[in-house]
Every structure is written in C-alpha cells, then in structure tokens.
Amino acid sequence: MNISNLPTYATIEEASSDVLEVISKFVGVNTFFVAKNDKTNVDIISSYNRDEVILDTDFETLYRDSY
C-alpha cells in the first residue's frame, strides 16, 4: 500500500464531503451526514441526500431537539 497517495485533511470539515461521497456508493439510504455534537448543539458539517433533501449541510439545532 502506497500511503503517500492517500489524501490528507487538516479538519473534519475538509474530509466530510469525500467521506460522504465514498459512503454513498455503499449505503442504500436517502440521507446521511457528518455532524459535530457537543451535547448542547448539533451542527451538520456535510450531508448527502440521494433523492429528496431531508437535511441540509450547515443545519444547526439544539441537542435536546435532535433525534
């Protein structure tokens, strides 16, 4: 394995769109996302919506209101 060809990222925000792109090829669901959760707020960093937009990137909500 040649590690030098693997992408590197400084932040989770940078990596999230690449991660979602790869996952979308294997996961048969409409929506999934990468989020930051600090038990007070939930911040969607990136989202993937296959057919219908359920959750937008940059959506923010209170932790107590998320489910």
Side-chain angles (χ1 to χ4, degrees), residues 46-65:
S46 291
S47 64
Y48 175 86
N49 297 277
R50 186 179 311 277
D51 299 317
E52 179 183 356
V53 176
I54 304 295
L55 188 63
D56 285 321
T57 296
D58 298 325
F59 177 79
E60 298 177 5
T61 191
L62 294 173
Y63 176 74
R64 71 171 188 254
D65 296 336

Side-chain angles (χ1 to χ4, degrees), residues 2-65:
N2 187 352
I3 296 177
S4 65
N5 291 334
L6 297 175
T8 59
Y9 306 98
T11 66
I12 191 168
E13 289 85 356
E14 289 180 15
S16 63
S17 62
D18 283 352
V19 169
L20 294 181
E21 181 181 341
V22 170
I23 292 172
S24 73
K25 296 174 183 174
F26 301 100
V27 177
V29 298
N30 183 70
T31 302
F32 52 95
F33 56 90
V34 175
K36 288 194 270 186
N37 174 348
D38 64 7
K39 302 294 184 187
T40 301
N41 298 299
V42 176
D43 302 324
I44 306 302
I45 297 168
S46 291
S47 64
Y48 175 86
N49 297 277
R50 186 179 311 277
D51 299 317
E52 179 183 356
V53 176
I54 304 295
L55 188 63
D56 285 321
T57 296
D58 298 325
F59 177 79
E60 298 177 5
T61 191
L62 294 173
Y63 176 74
R64 71 171 188 254
D65 296 336

